[in-house]
Amino acid sequence: MTENDTETLLAVLSSILPEPIPAQEILLDALVQSNGDVNTAARKLSSDTNAGLKSKKRKRTTNLDAWLAHSIPLPSKSRSKSPEKKSSLKPMASGTSARDTMMAGPSRAGPSSTTKPIVNLMDVLRPPPSTGPSIPRYPPLTLNNPSMIAEHTPCTLHPSILPPELACELFYTMLNEARDWKRNKWWLFERLVESPHRTAIFVRSYDGADEQTRACLQAARLWYNGREADVPKVFPAPMERACTIIERVVNAEVLKRRRFPLEWGGLPPNAEGEKITWRANFAASNCYEGTKEAVGFHSDRLTSLGPYPTIASLSLGTPRVFRLREVIPVDEIDERATRTYNIPLPHNSLIIMHASAQERFKHSIPPQTTLDRFRPAFPPPASISSLTLDPTNCRINITFRFYRPDFHPDSLPKCRCGLPMALRPDMKKRQREGGDGKDIEEARGEGEFRYWWTCTGGEQNEGKGCGFWKVMDVKAEGRGPFVMDLS
Ligand SMILES: O=C(O)CCC(=O)C(=O)O
Ligand SMILES: [Fe+2]
């Protein structure tokens, strides 16, 4: 698939087609044949449908601009008035998000090159239309404790992960920096959208591992789109201390779990006989101020993390809900519906998104109507004289990530725009026929995925990419070692 998230493309395509909407497989096929271009796919499907049958049903809007206009609800009394009213409207709660589209590609065209106004991502997207048949649907489920989380999701929750004083010191340190963090901007369907929260990136520096740090710095510059990439900062001292603790917890958890063939196989033991399975060499930090700041549904881009990554996500400050939703594969869509899981994340908790969480699920931090104020148990360190953001009202999140050496920025394939491509799993299709004799039941929810390298030009170049994509072939590309190479 091309530059946009498959689920979003399917949702958009279904929304702009006349009824009856073809089956998901047909939509997917049309998207693949059209190199992910929704308008071309829609034209193709409409002409197929018109040739085959004459639908008496109401015709839906059939172009993308009109879809985008419709996706932003106008208050009833201004419905027939001018479109510039849009920007003053409240954001919609979004059911899908293409946030994963903002995590790759150096910038070529900055925000200033647009003539259209920058819009909030939540204003552009709307939930996908509900699918037809009467399969049982379950209401959202709140997962209140670690055992419920482990039962329903590929995640584990670790409350009170850091010594309380360190958690507070890290919270104040990051909050103090957060006033300078940026809102990510990227192109989506020819609009420049802006994430409704602030982000910064950090790389870890190791003594004697300069090549690794340099690679992380280079990879980190692929993080942003649509604007000049900032040079990432090095982990501040309390973040480094927190990271050492978190790394130990993550490594212990990883070794307890079933491992997937394409997970990182690790380096051979070092001189001290220590074997590194997961190393946090990079982190993205997010700040959510008040109730409205949020991040829409997305899965984290795999470009530098490789398949089946482990991501450790630390929450500090005011509690917020972490929302997860499984992406149902197309061949199961008539059998089971997805379910939304809400996980409250208190101050000083770590949620680990284990291998397969990015392939099977999307996650988000939704806006809320109310917030519990955070009452820090310790005052700010003496080095912080005044805070511009209110510590009772903000959540800081730090996602510790392992940038794999075999997905080094120099090794990323380039598209026709000449940009490094982004790695994405085919979330909608799971391979059933693993060579390991797994039957379909066993594979359900855990089947192997195919991965695509996709052009990212569309996210940064005023929405215009080359649409080039190709399937990842780990052997031909010389990647690894993977877990499958170890046995
Ligand atoms: O704030 C969070 O807990 C989630 C952040 C996130 O999904 C991300 O940085 O990719
Ligand atoms: Fe994420």
Side-chain angles (χ1 to χ4, degrees), residues 11-19 21 38-39 42-43 46 57-72 79 126:
V12 177
L13 184 55
S14 334
S15 306
I16 64 178
L17 281 172
E19 287 176 345
I21 310 293
V38 177
N39 270 329
R43 268 195 299 276
S46 299
K57 298 235 170 102
R58 163 179 79 90
K59 283 269 182 251
R60 293 231 215 148
T61 327
T62 52
N63 98 8
L64 190 50
D65 262 355
W67 179 85
L68 284 164
H70 277 280
S71 74
I72 302 169
R79 221 167 257 278
R126 64 176 179 180

Side-chain angles (χ1 to χ4, degrees), residues 138-159 320-326 339-346 349-352 360-363:
Y138 301 99
L141 182 64
T142 298
L143 307 176
N144 268 320
N145 57 55
S147 59
M148 283 180 87
I149 293 165
E151 184 188 335
H152 292 278
T153 73
C155 301
T156 51
L157 181 70
H158 307 261
R320 291 288 296 260
V321 168
F322 181 66
R323 189 166 279 172
L324 279 166
R325 200 163 61 191
E326 190 185 359
R339 186 162 201 186
T340 299
Y341 299 106
N342 290 323
I343 304 179
L345 294 181
S349 63
L350 183 77
I351 186 143
I352 307 177
R360 288 174 51 201
F361 283 80
K362 294 204 173 197
H363 55 272

Side-chain angles (χ1 to χ4, degrees), residues 99 103 286 288 298 300 313 363 365 395 397 399 401:
R99 184 182 180 233
M103 295 180 180
N286 303 297
Y288 306 85
H298 67 281
D300 293 353
S313 177
H363 55 272
I365 300 287
R395 170 173 179 266
N397 160 259
T399 53
R401 296 155 191 256

Side-chain angles (χ1 to χ4, degrees), residues 97-132:
S97 159
R99 184 182 180 233
D100 48 352
T101 65
M102 77 184 156
M103 295 180 180
S107 84
R108 287 206 318 197
S112 59
S113 58
T114 175
T115 47
K116 291 183 185 173
I118 300 170
V119 290
N120 185 310
L121 173 64
M122 299 305 198
D123 289 340
V124 175
L125 297 173
R126 64 176 179 180
S130 60
T131 44

